[in-house]
Amino acid sequence: MSTAVAGVAQAHEAVHHEESFIRKYIFSFDHKTIGIQFLFTSLFMGIIGGTLALLIRLQLAWPGRAWPILGALMPNAFPNGIMRPDIYYSLVTMHGTIMVFFVFTTALVGGFANFLIPLQIGARDMAFPLLNMLSYWLYLPASIIMLSSFFVDGGAPGTGWTAYPPLSALQGAAPGTGLGQTLWLVALFLMMVSFLLGSLNYITTTLNMRAPGLSMSRLPLSVWALVVTATVSLLSFPVLLGAAVMLLADRHLGTSFYLPAGIVLGGRELLHTGGDPLLWQHLFWFLGHPEVYILILPAMGMVSEVMATHARKPIFGYRFMVGSMLAIALLSFLVWGHHMFTSGMHPLLGTAFMATTLVIAIPSAIKAFNWLATLWGGKIRFTPPMLFAIGFVSMFVTGGLTGLVAGSPPISIYFHDTYFIVAHFHFVMASAALFGLLAAVYHWFPKMFGRMMNERLGRWHFWFTFLGIYGTFFPMHFMGTAGMMRRIYSPEPYAFLADIQPLNVISTVSALVLGFSQVLFLINLFYSLFRGPKADRNPWQATTLEWLAPSPAPHGNWDEGIPEVYRWPYDYSVPGASQDYIPQHVPDVAVEAEAPQSVSGNGVAEAGDSASEGEGES
Amino acid sequence: MSTLLGEAVKRGRAGSPVKELGRKTRPALRPNGRNGSGGGSNGGMGGPGGAGARAPILSNGRVGLWFLLGSITMLFGGFTSTVLVRRLADDWSVMPIPSMVWASTAALILSSITAEVARRQLRSGRIEGALNWISVTAVGGLLFVAGQWMAWQQLLGQGIMIQSSARSGFVYLLMAVHALHVIGGIVGLTLVYRKVTRLRGAVAMAAANGGGVPLALAGGRGAIESLSNFNTYWHFMGGLWIYLLILLFVS
Amino acid sequence: MQDDMQDRGRAQGFGILLALWAVVIGGVAFSIYAGQRWWMPELAAAHGERVDAVFRILLTLMAIVFVLVQAALGFFAWQSGRREKAIHWHDNPRLEITWTVIPAVVLLGMTIFAGVVWAEMHAPVPDDALTVEVTAEQFAWRIRYPGPDGAFGRTDPGLISRDNPVGVVPEDPNGLDDVVLLNELRLPVDRPVRILLRSKEVLHSFFVPEFRIKQDAVPGRTIEVTFQPTRVGDMEIACAELCGVGHFAMRGDLKVMPQDEFDQWLADLYAGEADGESGEAAGEAVEAGESGESAGE
C-alpha cells in the first residue's frame, strides 16, 4: 500500500479503534507500547544482571569470605555463606549473557528503535505491527527461559557468555552444562529471532514510511544509527543462529561439529570425531563483534541527538557522522578474529585482523572528535541527558583507546583473557552504551510518559554513576597488566597475583556505590512515572519530529496530521532566527535583516534562504 | 503545536534582504549548509519533496522480504563456509543421494511453477483459480517436506545417522533447517490464501454491478503483492534447495 | 529564574570540568603509581623486549590522546556553559579530513610495527630447540619430556589412565623413556624452547606472564609455542581459558634454570626412568589445586 493509504487507514483506526486492555497494553501492536515493554523488561533484566555483577565483585574482593545474609538467602549457592566455585562461573556467564543480549541490545534497539523511529520519521506506526508485537513476545519468554536456567538441575551454565565448546558441548564438563546450557541456547535462539523481526521493521519503516520532505539526508542521526544497526544485525545474527543450532546438535544428537576426536572426559574417550572448536569461535565472533557495534551505534546516534538539543548547536559533521556509522558497520564484519589471536588460528590471519581492527578505530575517532566539536561553542544546558551524553564521550574514548592495545596481537596475547580486556569492554559497553541509554531515557521520558523526570535526582545519579564507573573499571586495567586472568573464582592460588587485592577491593567498593546509586534512577523513574510534573510537547525545545506529537504520544502519533519536513534536524541557534531552534516541520523562518554574523566567520546557515518556498505555516 | 514559532513563520517575502544576506555573508571558502546532506537549514532544497506523499519505490512487504532473504542468505552463508572448510579434511565421507530427494526436489520445483500460475490467475482476476493453484502449491510444499522426511528414512535405512560422519551431520542439519523455512513459507501461504478469499466478496460485488473485475480494489493490490512476495520467497527456497543439494551431495 | 538557571548551568559545567580533569589527573597518577606496584611481571623471554616496546608505544599514544581528549571535553563543556548563544558551526570538511588522516597515519605506523613484531614472534626455532610437550587437562598441566632419545612416543587418548596420564602407547619404543610430570615445567635459560601444546578435553590456555606468551590449548590439535627464556627464576603457569570449575586453580610451576643445572636435573629425571617405565616420575604425584579434581579418573 502506498504510504498515504496506509497513513489514512491507520489514522482511521486510531480514531475509531476501541482496544481492550489486553490489546492495548499486553499484546500491543503500537510501537510505543512495544518499545516501553522492551525498556521495562530490559530494566528488570538489568537489575538482575547488575546484582550478579555485585556478587562477582564481592567474591573477587574478598575471596572465600562468608556472607551470612547470602548464606541465609541462598544456602545452596552459598553454603555457610561462602560462594561455591561453580556458582561463581554461572554468575559470570549469566551476567555477561544477560547484560549483552537481554539488557543493552533490547533496551537500546528493541526499546528505542521501536519508540523513536516512527515518531522521528513522521509515521503513525511501524511497517509490520504484528511482527513487532511478536518480537516483544519472543523476547519475554526468552528472558524467562534464560532465567529459568538458574533453577534447573545443574544450575545456570558456567561456560562464559561466549560458551566455547568443547566445554559447552559436553554435558558435565562444567557447571551447568546440562539442562542449563540447553535452556541458555534456546533462550538465545528466541532472542535472536525476536531481534531479527524487529530489525525488519526498523529498516522497512525507515526506508518506506518517512514523512513528506524527510529525505535520508534530513534523517536524525538516531534514526540513521538504528537503521544501520538493524541492517548489521540482520546480516550477523543468523550466523550465530546457525552456530547455536550446531551446538545443540553436538550436545543432544551426537554430532561433531565442534568436537574433535580424542576427547577424554570422565575417564572415557568420547566417540566424536572431526569437529573443530575453533569453528564456534569464528561463527560466534562473526556475530559477536558486530554485536558490540549493535550495542554502541544506537547509543552514539542518540547521544548525537541529545547533544545537539542540549547544546543548542547542530551536530558537527553530519555527513562524516553518517559516513563513519556506515564504515563502522561495514568494517565490523571484518574484525572478528581479533578475539581469537591466541586461539590457534593461523598467525597471518592475526595480522589481517589486526589491520582491519586498527582501521575501524578511525571512524570511531572521527565521531569522538565530532562530538567534541559539537560541544565547543555550544550553549550547554546541563540537564541529566546532557550530562550522560558528555559522560558517554568520556567513557567511549577511554574504552576505545584500550581497544588499540587489544587489537595489536603481540601485546594482545598478553592481555587476552585478563582483566585488561574486561576493563576495555566495560568501558565501551557497560559504560558508554549505558550512558547512551540513560541519556536517551532521560531525554525521551517526557515523550514516552508525558511527565518530566526529576532533575536533581538525575544529576546525582549521573555523578555517582560517572565516578562509580571509573572507580570500578579503571583499576581493572592494572589488574590485567599485572596478569590477572578473567573468570577466576579467586586469584589466591597465584604468587604473581599476591599483591592484587587492593585493586580488587577498590573496584568492588566502587561497584557497590555504582550499583546502589542506580536506586536513585529507579526512584526517579517510578516516581516521575506517576507524579512527575506534566510535560508539554517539546520541553527541551528540540527540532525533531517526535516533539511535535503530544506528550505522551497517542495511538497514531500525530493528532494534527502527519507533519511535513522542510529542513534537517539540526537548525539550532541559526543566526538571525528569533528562536534558538527551528523544528524540522517549519517551512520558513524570517530572519532579521541585520542578523549578526556567527562568531569568527565560521559560516552562516541559510535560515530563510529559500524565500521562494516559504509558503504557509506548518 | 508549532505556535512557538508561529509568529516567526511568515509567508515568503520577496526575501531579498534575507537571501542576499545569506549569500553575501557566506565566506567563499567554506562549503556550508546548502549542499546536499550537510543539509543546512532548509536550504534551497527546502520543502517537502514532491507534492504530497511520496510513494516508496518498493512496498513495505517487498522491502521486508528482501531483507529477510538477506538474513536467510547469511544463515546459509555461515553454514556454507563451515561446510567448505570441513570438506577439506580427509574424512569427508561418501554420501549417497537418497532417491526420495529427486521426488521431493521435483515437488518443490513444480510448486514454484504452480505458485507462478496462481499469481497470474490472481492478476487476471480469476480468484477461484488463484485459490486452487495456491492450494496446489501448498500441497507441493508439504510433499516436499514429506519427501525430505522419507529421504531421511532412506539414509537411516543405510545406517547413516546424523552423527555418523561430519557430512551426514550437515546433510541432516541443513535439510532440517531448510525444511523448517519451507514450512514457514507454507504458514505464510495460508495467510495469503486468507487474504485472497477475502477478495471474493469484493469481486463478486463488482461483477454484480456490471463491468469487469478491476482488481485495483482496496486490498486487491495488497493480495497480489502478498502473493508475489510469497512467490519470491518460495522461489528462493527452491533455489536454495538446489544449492544445498549440490553443496551436500555432490562429492 | 533565568539567572538561576545560568548559575546552575555554570556550576554544572564547572563540575564537569573538574570531574573530567580529575579523571585525567587521577588516571595518570594512578597509572604512575600502578606502574611501580602492579605492572607486568619482570620480563623473562627474548621476544618480550619487542612486545613490551609495542606496549610502551601504544601506552604513550593512548596516554596522550586520553589526556588531551578528556581535558578538552571538560574544558569545552565548561566554557560553553558560560556562553550566551551557541555558534552555528557544524561543518568543516578540511578539519574532519585532518583528524581522519592523522589517526590513520598513526594507526598505520602502529600496525606495521606490531605486524613486524608479530612475525618475529613466529619465527621458526632451530630444530635443536628443547621440545617439551604440555598437555592441559581439567585441572592440571601434564608436562612430558621426550627422554634421551629426543622423540616422543605416540599417544592414544583411549589409554589415558591414572598411571598413564597422557596415554603413551606402550608399544612405541620412543615412548619408553618419556617422562611425564604433573604441574612442573623446567627449562634452561638462554636456549630456544618449543612447547607442543595439547589438551585432553576442553579448551585451556597456557599463560606465562613473564614470557608474555599465551596460547590456547585446543583438543584435537597440537600447537607449537616457541620462545627463549632469558632469566633464571621461578614462575607460574596459569590457565587463561575458562575450562570448568577448577579453572582458577589450574596452576603450574615453571622453573628456569642455568643450563648446567638444567642438564643435571634432566639427567636425574631420566635416570629415574632407567628401569624403562614410562609415566609419572616417581614421587611427584601432587594433587592439583584445592578443588580436588584429579586428572583422568
Side-chain angles (χ1 to χ4, degrees):
Chain A
M1 279 199 256
S2 73
T3 316
V5 174
V8 166
Q10 273 173 311
H12 193 77
E13 248 205 25
V15 171
H16 291 278
H17 197 93
E18 288 289 327
E19 293 187 308
S20 66
F21 179 86
I22 291 203
R23 176 64 189 260
K24 199 168 171 187
Y25 291 113
I26 314 278
F27 294 104
S28 172
F29 281 45
D30 184 308
H31 72 98
K32 301 181 292 298
T33 310
I34 295 171
I36 293 172
Q37 286 175 320
F38 267 103
L39 282 175
F40 276 105
T41 309
S42 303
L43 177 64
F44 174 72
M45 294 298 272
I47 293 174
I48 295 181
T51 307
L52 298 180
L54 289 180
L55 291 174
I56 295 168
R57 285 303 333 156
L58 280 182
Q59 165 62 20
L60 283 177
W62 301 289
R65 172 187 289 204
W67 305 95
I69 298 183
L70 296 175
L73 283 173
M74 296 174 281
N76 245 337
F78 292 80
N80 301 318
I82 303 177
M83 183 190 289
R84 279 170 24 202
D86 56 312
I87 296 295
Y88 180 83
Y89 288 112
S90 299
L91 290 177
V92 161
T93 303
M94 296 299 276
H95 165 72
T97 308
I98 288 175
M99 289 308 219
V100 170
F101 288 116
F102 291 84
V103 177
F104 283 110
T105 312
T106 47
L108 282 164
V109 187
F112 278 99
N114 265 313
F115 185 81
L116 279 187
I117 288 181
L119 280 171
Q120 285 196 322
I121 66 172
R124 291 201 180 274
D125 208 305
M126 288 283 189
F128 309 116
L130 171 64
L131 283 190
N132 215 15
M133 187 271 286
L134 284 177
S135 88
Y136 175 73
W137 282 98
L138 282 171
Y139 165 53
L140 183 62
S143 306
I144 295 173
I145 294 175
M146 180 58 74
L147 292 177
S148 75
S149 67
F150 276 115
F151 303 104
V152 301
D153 202 19
T159 53
W161 84 283
T162 46
Y164 282 4
L167 195 67
S168 60
L170 299 172
Q171 315 222 13
T177 48
L179 184 55
Q181 187 80 65
T182 302
L183 290 174
W184 186 91
L185 284 165
V186 169
L188 202 61
F189 187 94
L190 290 176
M191 189 268 145
M192 288 195 275
V193 176
S194 151
F195 208 65
L196 290 176
L197 293 181
S199 302
L200 285 177
N201 251 323
Y202 313 143
I203 298 172
T204 307
T205 306
T206 307
L207 289 180
N208 272 11
M209 293 170 66
R210 282 166 285 137
L214 187 56
S215 60
M216 292 303 279
S217 59
R218 289 176 175 172
L219 215 49
L221 283 174
S222 42
V223 180
W224 266 114
L226 290 164
V227 167
V228 170
T229 299
T231 310
V232 169
S233 10
L234 270 183
L235 300 177
S236 58
F237 267 111
V239 174
L240 182 59
L241 270 175
V245 167
M246 288 194 280
L247 185 57
L248 282 167
D250 271 10
R251 285 172 54 77
H252 298 287
L253 299 176
T255 51
S256 302
F257 293 110
Y258 306 116
L259 297 169
I263 294 179
V264 176
L265 191 70
R268 276 178 20 253
E269 183 183 357
L270 302 182
L271 296 174
H272 296 279
T273 175
D276 185 3
L278 262 66
L279 171 64
W280 169 268
Q281 294 181 42
H282 282 294
L283 294 175
F284 179 89
W285 287 115
F286 188 85
L287 175 263
H289 197 82
E291 167 65 20
V292 311
Y293 291 104
I294 290 169
L295 293 178
I296 201 73
L297 280 173
M300 288 175 165
M302 295 193 287
V303 160
S304 292
E305 287 312 303
V306 169
M307 245 193 217
T309 305
H310 295 271
R312 316 310 290 162
K313 188 165 176 276
I315 200 75
F316 187 88
Y318 178 83
R319 273 168 307 169
F320 273 76
M321 285 300 231
V322 173
S324 57
M325 258 187 234
L326 295 171
I328 288 174
L330 181 66
L331 287 168
S332 71
F333 284 95
L334 302 177
V335 301
W336 81 88
H338 68 224
H339 300 270
M340 296 171 62
F341 290 138
T342 67
S343 66
M345 75 177 175
H346 196 284
L348 274 180
L349 277 180
T351 312
F353 282 117
M354 164 178 62
T356 52
T357 302
L358 294 184
V359 170
I360 205 173
I362 298 172
S364 310
I366 293 175
K367 292 184 98 66
F369 293 137
N370 280 11
W371 284 312
L372 280 177
T374 305
L375 290 175
W376 183 87
K379 177 187 170 6
I380 294 183
R381 304 168 175 170
F382 290 97
T383 55
M386 187 56 166
L387 290 172
F388 278 104
I390 295 174
F392 168 91
V393 179
S394 174
M395 305 293 174
F396 180 67
V397 168
T398 304
L401 286 174
T402 53
L404 296 178
V405 169
S408 300
I411 191 61
S412 181
I413 296 287
Y414 179 84
F415 285 116
H416 175 73
D417 256 303
T418 66
Y419 264 79
F420 188 90
I421 302 297
V422 177
H424 163 67
F425 66 70
H426 277 94
F427 267 103
V428 274
M429 286 208 290
S431 317
L434 174 67
F435 272 52
L437 178 61
L438 289 173
V441 170
Y442 279 101
H443 184 73
W444 278 293
F445 185 92
K447 189 54 60 185
M448 287 182 184
F449 303 112
R451 292 178 186 270
M452 302 297 288
M453 289 182 80
N454 182 283
E455 255 204 33
R456 172 171 292 158
L457 266 182
R459 291 206 177 112
W460 280 106
H461 176 219
F462 167 75
W463 287 111
F464 275 111
T465 306
F466 182 82
L467 296 170
I469 296 253
Y470 267 102
T472 307
F473 298 111
F474 205 76
M476 288 185 183
H477 294 110
F478 308 107
M479 293 180 208
T481 312
M484 181 172 166
M485 300 80 69
R486 286 174 74 171
R487 297 162 171 174
I488 52 173
Y489 170 71
S490 159
E492 287 177 319
Y494 299 92
F496 75 91
L497 296 177
D499 193 28
I500 208 76
Q501 283 313 99
L503 287 174
N504 271 316
V505 172
I506 296 174
S507 175
T508 297
V509 170
S510 305
L512 288 166
V513 168
L514 174 65
F516 284 107
S517 65
Q518 303 315 302
V519 171
L520 292 173
F521 173 68
L522 292 175
I523 294 175
N524 198 351
L525 183 72
F526 285 103
Y527 182 83
S528 308
L529 265 178
F530 301 107
R531 302 292 197 88
K534 294 245 182 203
D536 55 16
R537 284 182 196 241
N538 196 353
W540 308 121
Q541 294 168 325
T543 57
T544 39
L545 290 179
E546 74 273 27
W547 303 105
L548 184 54
S551 298
H555 191 52
N557 294 344
W558 311 106
D559 57 346
E560 288 166 3
I562 291 184
E564 293 183 345
V565 172
Y566 294 85
R567 63 189 68 243
W568 75 327
Y570 302 112
D571 269 343
Y572 289 101
S573 303
V574 176
S578 60
Q579 298 255 346
D580 70 346
Y581 72 112
I582 308 174
Q584 281 187 280
H585 64 274
V586 169
D588 195 5
V589 175
V591 295
E592 287 126 36
E594 346 46 79
Q597 295 199 25
S598 55
V599 177
S600 53
N602 281 320
V604 179
E606 281 102 70
D609 197 33
S610 58
S612 49
E613 276 105 289
E615 236 66 58
E617 314 196 0
S618 52
Chain B
M1 199 196 38
S2 56
T3 49
L4 290 161
L5 286 178
E7 50 187 311
V9 175
K10 306 253 193 298
R11 307 212 152 243
R13 290 175 182 160
S16 34
V18 171
K19 218 176 195 169
E20 283 162 20
L21 182 68
R23 295 256 160 78
K24 263 192 248 174
T25 55
R26 190 193 337 172
L29 283 179
R30 285 188 194 270
N32 197 350
R34 211 165 226 291
N35 42 355
S37 57
S41 338
N42 51 352
M45 281 59 96
R54 203 183 47 233
I57 305 172
L58 293 176
S59 70
N60 286 357
R62 207 90 193 131
V63 172
L65 178 72
W66 281 115
F67 276 96
L68 176 66
L69 293 183
S71 214
I72 296 175
T73 303
M74 287 309 289
L75 174 65
F76 286 94
F79 282 129
T80 298
S81 65
T82 303
V83 169
L84 289 180
V85 171
R86 191 68 186 77
R87 282 182 88 125
L88 299 173
D90 47 4
D91 66 342
W92 191 250
S93 49
V94 176
M95 175 70 53
I97 303 187
S99 54
M100 276 309 296
V101 158
W102 302 121
S104 62
T105 307
L108 193 60
I109 305 232
L110 283 174
S111 69
S112 261
I113 298 175
T114 59
E116 277 305 304
V117 175
R119 191 165 68 95
R120 258 152 239 212
Q121 295 266 306
L122 187 60
R123 272 231 310 253
S124 46
R126 295 197 278 275
I127 306 285
E128 295 311 314
L131 286 174
N132 287 337
W133 284 105
I134 288 178
S135 307
V136 172
T137 305
V139 167
L142 289 170
L143 283 177
F144 169 78
V145 176
Q148 298 289 75
W149 179 264
M150 313 249 296
W152 280 1
Q153 302 308 310
Q154 288 181 316
L155 284 176
L156 286 174
Q158 294 177 29
I160 300 175
M161 300 169 290
I162 188 173
Q163 70 267 41
S164 300
S165 69
R167 192 169 189 177
S168 67
F170 286 112
V171 165
Y172 277 91
L173 192 72
L174 296 188
M175 283 173 72
V177 174
H178 174 264
L180 281 172
H181 281 86
V182 167
I183 293 174
I186 298 176
V187 169
L189 188 56
T190 59
L191 298 176
V192 175
Y193 188 92
R194 277 189 17 204
K195 234 180 192 173
V196 175
T197 53
R198 274 189 239 126
L199 279 183
R200 270 184 185 142
V203 168
M205 249 174 30
N209 296 338
V213 189
L215 261 186
L217 303 165
R221 260 183 43 211
I224 296 179
E225 259 178 33
S226 291
L227 185 55
S228 291
N229 289 342
F230 167 81
N231 281 16
T232 306
Y233 180 87
W234 200 245
H235 300 328
F236 183 85
M237 283 300 134
L240 179 59
W241 171 241
I242 308 284
Y243 166 77
L244 288 175
L245 250 185
I246 300 173
L247 183 70
L248 292 170
F249 289 105
V250 171
S251 265
Chain C
M1 168 67 166
Q2 191 68 345
D3 288 329
D4 247 8
M5 276 175 50
Q6 284 259 38
D7 287 341
R8 240 185 319 147
R10 291 214 183 104
Q12 289 290 319
F14 193 63
I16 291 272
L17 177 78
L18 279 184
L20 284 166
W21 284 20
V23 160
V24 170
I25 296 170
V28 171
F30 201 86
S31 303
I32 295 176
Y33 176 69
Q36 317 301 336
R37 184 167 172 185
W38 296 293
W39 208 243
M40 294 157 86
E42 191 189 339
L43 191 56
H47 68 271
E49 293 280 358
R50 299 278 274 166
V51 167
D52 284 6
V54 171
F55 185 48
R56 263 196 307 276
I57 295 178
L58 278 173
L59 200 59
T60 311
L61 205 66
M62 290 191 317
I64 294 173
V65 176
F66 177 79
V67 168
L68 287 178
V69 173
Q70 304 283 3
L73 188 62
F75 180 71
F76 291 171
W78 173 67
Q79 56 83 33
S80 79
R82 294 147 55 90
R83 191 179 290 280
E84 287 303 319
K85 186 168 159 80
I87 301 172
H88 192 77
W89 171 66
H90 57 81
D91 259 306
N92 190 331
R94 197 181 299 167
L95 188 58
E96 302 232 46
I97 291 177
T98 307
W99 67 45
T100 305
V101 168
I102 293 183
V105 167
V106 171
L107 288 169
L108 181 65
M110 269 323 302
T111 308
I112 295 174
F113 182 45
V116 166
V117 176
W118 183 236
E120 286 168 7
M121 287 166 76
H122 291 90
V125 291
D127 289 329
D128 66 344
L130 171 69
T131 305
V132 183
E133 183 196 76
V134 174
T135 303
E137 61 183 43
Q138 286 180 328
F139 301 97
W141 303 96
R142 300 287 180 178
I143 323 282
R144 179 158 70 133
Y145 288 88
D149 66 354
F152 290 102
R154 256 181 29 248
T155 55
D156 177 353
L159 297 176
I160 291 181
S161 71
R162 178 167 231 118
D163 296 318
N164 192 352
V166 297
V168 178
V169 172
E171 290 79 29
D172 186 348
N174 288 329
L176 290 176
D177 57 354
D178 292 359
V179 178
V180 179
L181 302 179
L182 177 61
N183 293 330
E184 181 184 350
L185 172 63
R186 296 202 193 204
L187 300 170
V189 74
D190 292 327
R191 227 183 106 193
V193 172
R194 175 192 293 118
I195 302 276
L196 299 175
L197 190 61
R198 312 173 73 186
S199 169
K200 186 171 145 203
E201 7 52 357
V202 299
L203 293 177
H204 299 271
S205 192
F206 181 79
F207 176 39
V208 183
E210 286 88 342
F211 291 164
R212 313 290 191 257
I213 56 169
K214 182 183 287 126
Q215 176 58 53
D216 286 2
V218 182
R221 296 191 186 201
T222 302
I223 299 175
E224 273 196 21
V225 186
T226 58
F227 53 92
Q228 178 164 317
T230 52
R231 181 169 65 80
V232 164
D234 290 330
M235 301 160 210
E236 291 166 299
I237 304 168
C239 181
E241 183 61 54
L242 179 56
C243 56
V245 71
H247 165 65
F248 70 102
M250 192 167 149
R251 182 193 164 284
D253 284 307
L254 194 159
K255 195 176 180 69
V256 178
M257 308 160 75
Q259 182 72 59
D260 48 353
E261 278 182 41
F262 175 80
D263 290 338
Q264 182 62 49
W265 173 82
L266 197 62
D268 291 341
L269 187 68
Y270 290 156
E273 298 307 308
D275 56 2
E277 279 178 25
S278 63
E280 265 181 272
E284 305 225 333
V286 176
E287 278 304 304
E290 278 99 46
S291 61
E293 277 279 339
S294 55
E297 207 21 39

